[in-house]
Amino acid sequence: MAAINDALCDADSVINVGAGTGSYEPAGRTVLAIEPAREMIRQRAADTCLAVRGRAEALPLGNDASDAALAVLTVHHWSDWRRGLAELRRIAARQVVLAYDTRRHADFWFVREYVPEIAELERGRPSATDIADVLGADSVTPVPVPWDHNDGVFPAYWRRPAAYLDDRVRRSCSALAQTDPQAVERGLRRLRADLDSGRWYDRHRALFALDEWDAGFRLIVAGR
């Protein structure tokens, strides 16, 4: 959140596109959330900003409606991501996008060793470099993931492998929710066996010397 606030600079008004439940909305600014899913809007806390239904590819706003457009881990879900990015540029002079390097995600140990089918999903998604190129980004900054990160994003448990055996954790990971359930279950059985036998710890002992890890997340900033 600190990195996002820095990237928003002195923007007084922010449109948060693909806002979900409002986890990464900046305080102390005028924020409007745009979210297509009613279920996500229902889960927003009472003290979050106003949220309206809308799609990134056709934002219900006029040109230059805000100082900045924000999109946090959402571009890979858009049906036409290039059109969505064009909409961000239309509604705001500054665009701040948190995305990820799909190659890094595809090489994550959980994918590589247990559910390689996720890599196929990642190969069809826009990578951070693709998004930066389309936006004509001024900067692309790595955002490493601390080992005890409390956001349930897919690679957050890179040093806590047993967490993936928890159904509540898996339900919050779109990469798992969108992959063949049988493939996920096969991978989980292998992971459970490797944790029980200690094989996982033998293979990944080096991770325990790290306090943070580059999972591929990139903060992309474009525009004045």
Side-chain angles (χ1 to χ4, degrees), residues 86-142:
E87 283 286 270
L88 297 190
R89 298 182 69 178
R90 180 182 68 79
I91 65 165
R94 188 173 186 82
Q95 303 88 44
V96 176
V97 178
L98 183 63
Y100 62 91
D101 183 333
T102 54
R103 293 169 301 179
R104 292 283 300 183
H105 266 41
D107 195 43
F108 178 35
W109 60 257
F110 185 93
V111 178
R112 187 179 63 248
E113 298 171 17
Y114 299 102
V115 190
E117 291 82 358
I118 294 174
E120 292 300 317
L121 178 67
E122 297 294 0
R123 277 192 275 271
R125 290 174 161 177
S127 193
T129 52
D130 303 318
I131 294 167
D133 287 345
V134 169
L135 285 177
D138 298 302
S139 65
V140 179
T141 306

Side-chain angles (χ1 to χ4, degrees), residues 20-132:
T21 60
S23 299
Y24 288 95
E25 285 167 357
R29 307 174 196 254
T30 301
V31 181
L32 173 66
I34 307 289
E35 168 58 42
R38 283 195 181 94
E39 186 59 30
M40 288 290 190
I41 293 176
R42 290 192 192 104
Q43 292 178 51
R44 294 175 65 86
D47 60 350
T48 55
C49 69
L50 175 68
V52 299
R53 290 193 71 201
R55 296 170 56 249
E57 298 86 349
L59 294 173
L61 299 164
N63 296 344
D64 300 315
S66 183
D67 295 330
L70 175 64
V72 177
L73 297 179
T74 178
V75 175
H76 58 283
H77 292 304
W78 299 352
S79 60
D80 185 339
W81 63 273
R82 289 182 177 84
R83 184 174 177 181
L85 294 179
E87 283 286 270
L88 297 190
R89 298 182 69 178
R90 180 182 68 79
I91 65 165
R94 188 173 186 82
Q95 303 88 44
V96 176
V97 178
L98 183 63
Y100 62 91
D101 183 333
T102 54
R103 293 169 301 179
R104 292 283 300 183
H105 266 41
D107 195 43
F108 178 35
W109 60 257
F110 185 93
V111 178
R112 187 179 63 248
E113 298 171 17
Y114 299 102
V115 190
E117 291 82 358
I118 294 174
E120 292 300 317
L121 178 67
E122 297 294 0
R123 277 192 275 271
R125 290 174 161 177
S127 193
T129 52
D130 303 318
I131 294 167

